[in-house]
Amino acid sequence: MVSAPLPLDAAPISFGTDGWRGILGVDITVERLLPVAAAAARELAASAPAELRSREVVIGYDRRFLAPELAEAICAAVRGAELEPVLADTPTPTPTSSWAVVERGALGALVITASHNPPEWLGLKIKGPFGGSVEGDFTQRVETRLAAGGITVPRSADTPRFDALGPYLAGLRAKVDTDALAAGLERLGLSVIVDPMHGSAAGVLPALLGPQALASGAIQEIRSQRDPLFGGHPPEPLAPYLQELIAAVRASTAAGKPAMGIVFDGDGDRIAAVDELGRFCSTQLLMPLFIDHLARARQLPGLVIKTVSGSDLMRQVAEGLGRTVLEKPVGFKYIAAEMLAGEVLVGGEESGGVGFGMHLPERDAPFAALLLIEALVEGGVPLGQRLDALQQRCGGAAAYDRLDLRLPDMAARGRLEALLAAQPPAEVAGVPVQEVIRTDGVKLRLGPSHWLMLRFSGTEPLLRLYCEAPTPERVACVLAWAQQLAEQV
């Protein structure tokens, strides 16, 4: 793996769509992290509901380089803020920390993780007392505290450690009959191959389904050992990084045991899948399946929330089942806000984050995986067949892809932003633009299940290009057109 040259200057401390992230050793250092952790802890205490008397702050971390050590370091900052840190005893998925906050009645959680970002990145996520990510106004107040320059002196001491994973697993088993799932997979002759991408969700799904499922081959796991380089790729659930999983799924199906791959990102809050034929299935396809299963089979109440980058299929399935659909900007915090405000069936984003109204207001990939398996057991057919039938029910298949384009510098980004704001394209790859949507970035609608979206990343110097179209060839054509537009500015 050839790494990009390290920047010589640290970027300003700024919170993106879910936390503060940056390059370890440049942006993320002990010297910078301790004041951020102290400011976040003080804001958790200041913003706590009046009835919440706890002084406890949960500290979690993933498997990245120095994540365990930095998690222990920020405990000193929390103590310096006159609060009580409790430290997870092992690396765990980020939703485990959210679960612990609610179960323990804590003020919130600070989690050392960079989620799906490249291996050289690290960061800090903040979870509120409700068990989900804090909103933008909260992180703005944290940034205000930092700018004010208040000093919190870290205090070294032994930090109490707690079992973060055990209660979380017990909580998921109480919501889903995992024994029935394991038996259903064996009855149908299906195998689930789990790829945690070397991240902190390793071992979680096998533990939930139990040793018998492992012994029978109903569940297997690959890439479960810790690797801070994540095999040389970002631990993001995208097809180019999943060739080992795709090969394993195809081999199992060819040998007569249809398989499904389930993949988690580096901190276990994002999910994707691979069907029995080795086709990559992002949440553009999984969300419609969750909607169908929870609304039709489970008959659970609530509306559906999608982000503006989500597939049109989500809306088609939801409205076909009589459910209201809300469309929000990219970022799970917008979904979580709706989950806290009212009754929600399911909310999800294109990048793999899915939350459920019957659970935490939080992305939780292991819980989503259980519901995905439940949907297959209920339907009695492999994933690809189930998704094909769902698409046909809604008017036919559509294709989707995303291209992340690294821009040469911030000046190029500024020029492109100005162009899109003042004069968005009137046509895209020969097709007239029917509507310009500015919920987040610029989305150019070209027809039913046919659109292009351009959006700048909140954590990296990237332009994200999203496209849904009737065929894979059309998707490739539109993305190539958009890339050429960006590179000419």
Side-chain angles (χ1 to χ4, degrees), residues 236-244 246 263 272 274 278-281 401:
E236 185 169 11
L238 297 175
Y241 310 145
L242 304 177
Q243 295 310 303
E244 185 177 341
I246 290 170
V263 57
V274 174
R279 298 179 296 189
F280 176 70
C281 304
D401 202 1

Side-chain angles (χ1 to χ4, degrees), residues 34 50 57 72 93 96 129 144 155 183 189 199 207 258 261 269 302 322 385 397 429 432 445 447 452-453 457 462 486:
L34 291 179
V57 177
E72 191 155 9
T96 302
T144 299
R155 293 211 320 258
D269 65 0
Q385 293 182 37
R445 179 162 291 284
L452 167 68
M453 180 171 157
S457 169
L462 294 175

Side-chain angles (χ1 to χ4, degrees), residues 184-481:
L185 289 173
E186 290 190 45
R187 184 178 68 253
L188 295 171
L190 297 176
S191 178
V192 174
I193 304 175
V194 184
D195 182 0
M197 303 188 82
H198 302 290
S200 56
V204 171
L205 208 53
L208 285 165
L209 293 184
Q212 178 57 37
L214 276 170
S216 69
I219 189 164
Q220 309 168 47
E221 193 170 59
I222 63 173
R223 298 204 291 177
S224 59
Q225 74 277 16
R226 184 189 182 195
D227 175 8
L229 293 179
F230 302 104
H233 300 290
E236 185 169 11
L238 297 175
Y241 310 145
L242 304 177
Q243 295 310 303
E244 185 177 341
L245 177 62
I246 290 170
V249 168
R250 285 175 173 165
S252 179
T253 300
K257 192 175 184 68
M260 171 179 67
I262 293 179
V263 57
F264 303 130
D265 76 333
D267 74 326
D269 65 0
R270 301 188 185 207
I271 187 174
V274 174
D275 77 4
E276 66 276 11
L277 299 179
R279 298 179 296 189
F280 176 70
C281 304
S282 71
T283 39
Q284 301 285 43
L285 291 172
L286 299 185
M287 265 286 290
L289 180 56
F290 288 133
I291 295 166
D292 177 71
H293 176 66
L294 297 176
R296 179 191 50 77
R298 275 209 178 201
Q299 296 188 345
L300 295 176
L303 52 79
V304 170
I305 310 169
K306 66 183 288 291
T307 57
V308 66
S309 61
S311 169
D312 288 357
L313 184 62
M314 300 178 191
R315 181 179 295 277
Q316 292 164 354
V317 172
E319 292 181 346
L321 293 167
R323 299 306 175 100
T324 300
V325 179
L326 298 183
E327 189 164 280
K328 295 292 179 179
V330 174
F332 196 81
K333 61 185 179 182
Y334 301 106
I335 297 171
E338 295 295 335
M339 297 176 78
L340 291 168
E343 197 165 50
V344 171
L345 178 73
V346 58
E349 50 187 352
E350 163 272 340
S351 59
V354 185
F356 305 90
M358 60 172 155
H359 191 47
L360 299 169
E362 172 73 299
R363 294 176 292 201
D364 190 334
F367 184 61
L370 291 179
L371 293 180
L372 178 57
I373 297 170
E374 182 182 272
L376 295 194
V377 170
E378 183 268 332
V381 296
L383 177 62
Q385 293 182 37
R386 182 72 180 273
L387 292 175
D388 288 346
L390 193 60
Q391 287 183 309
Q392 291 306 314
R393 195 176 90 197
C394 294
Y400 168 82
D401 202 1
R402 188 184 94 190
L403 175 64
D404 291 352
L405 185 64
R406 190 167 293 276
L407 300 171
D409 51 41
M410 291 304 293
R413 169 178 172 158
R415 290 193 299 270
L416 182 56
E417 282 186 296
L419 174 66
L420 294 173
Q423 191 176 0
E427 68 172 42
V428 171
V431 175
V433 173
Q434 297 180 2
E435 182 183 8
V436 178
I437 301 167
R438 298 187 182 274
T439 305
D440 192 350
V442 177
K443 183 174 181 178
L444 307 172
R445 179 162 291 284
L446 310 174
S449 298
H450 193 187
W451 49 266
L452 167 68
M453 180 171 157
L454 303 92
R455 175 181 172 269
F456 296 96
S457 169
T459 58
E460 297 181 68
L462 294 175
L463 172 64
R464 301 197 189 277
L465 305 172
Y466 312 78
C467 178
E468 184 171 47
T471 66
E473 293 77 17
R474 179 62 187 171
V475 169
C477 177
V478 170
L479 289 176
W481 180 92

